[in-house]
Amino acid sequence: MDRWRRSAFLLCQDWHTADDVVSATVAKLYRNWRRAGQADNRDAYAQRVLTRAWLDERRRPWKRREQASATLPDVAAAVPETVTDRAGLAALLRSLAPKQRAVLVLRYYLDCSVEETARILGVSTGTVKSQSARGLANLRTVITGQS
């Protein structure tokens, strides 16, 4: 569950939404356990369900009306940072289109192959390669500040 939650957070950039996506994933896996249980690679199957649940979440009309707030009403206890610039990484990922973000998270954070990523997202391997190249190019542009 922790791995699912972390990968969902990298996709959506919000812990609450990540929890919702993981919950939707668990519900979908439960409903379709016969098919999930027969999968060759259950982890890849679950990641595919999670990624598609996030993409479905992004398409919902109510999501366009809600705006996340950077300030919280209560201050939580300090959590030790394992990444030196977590906010910077989050901002970089938010600058990408959803499909590019999904491809980069699957390929470089979860270390999926091109073929696994294509299977998870339901696209061709060429699409994964082009989205990876475009996503990395967009990140370079944002980092260097060049157009």
Side-chain angles (χ1 to χ4, degrees):
M1 289 283 202
D2 257 358
R3 180 177 182 208
W4 292 352
R5 189 169 184 252
R6 285 191 308 270
S7 63
F9 174 78
L10 286 174
L11 292 169
C12 63
Q13 299 296 304
D14 177 44
W15 286 112
H16 299 291
T17 306
D19 290 338
D20 292 344
V21 169
V22 169
S23 295
T25 301
V26 169
K28 288 178 182 184
L29 288 172
Y30 179 76
R31 278 194 311 265
N32 299 307
W33 183 247
R34 184 172 296 171
R35 192 175 342 157
Q38 294 173 351
D40 292 336
N41 185 343
R42 289 182 185 158
D43 290 334
Y45 185 90
Q47 186 62 48
R48 178 181 188 169
V49 171
L50 184 134
T51 304
R52 289 189 173 180
W54 172 69
L55 290 171
D56 290 345
E57 182 79 17
R58 298 254 324 145
R59 292 185 190 111
R60 294 197 178 163
W62 63 265
K63 185 71 174 163
R64 292 185 203 109
R65 291 190 303 264
E66 287 189 0
Q67 298 294 324
S69 175
T71 58
L72 299 175
D74 298 325
V75 177
V79 176
E81 292 286 327
T82 56
V83 177
T84 52
D85 189 10
R86 186 172 297 220
L89 176 62
L92 285 173
L93 286 173
R94 274 193 304 276
S95 72
L96 297 173
K99 290 270 182 158
Q100 288 176 357
R101 188 183 319 165
V103 167
L104 292 181
V105 167
L106 289 169
R107 291 277 295 125
Y108 301 108
Y109 179 73
L110 297 174
D111 202 27
C112 293
S113 68
V114 171
E115 293 77 16
E116 288 173 321
T117 303
R119 196 170 31 258
I120 289 169
L121 295 175
V123 297
S124 69
T125 56
T127 301
V128 171
K129 292 175 185 177
S130 67
Q131 289 295 313
S132 294
R134 287 183 187 133
L136 292 173
N138 288 343
L139 287 178
R140 281 188 208 102
T141 302
V142 170
I143 289 170
T144 61
Q146 300 171 353
S147 297

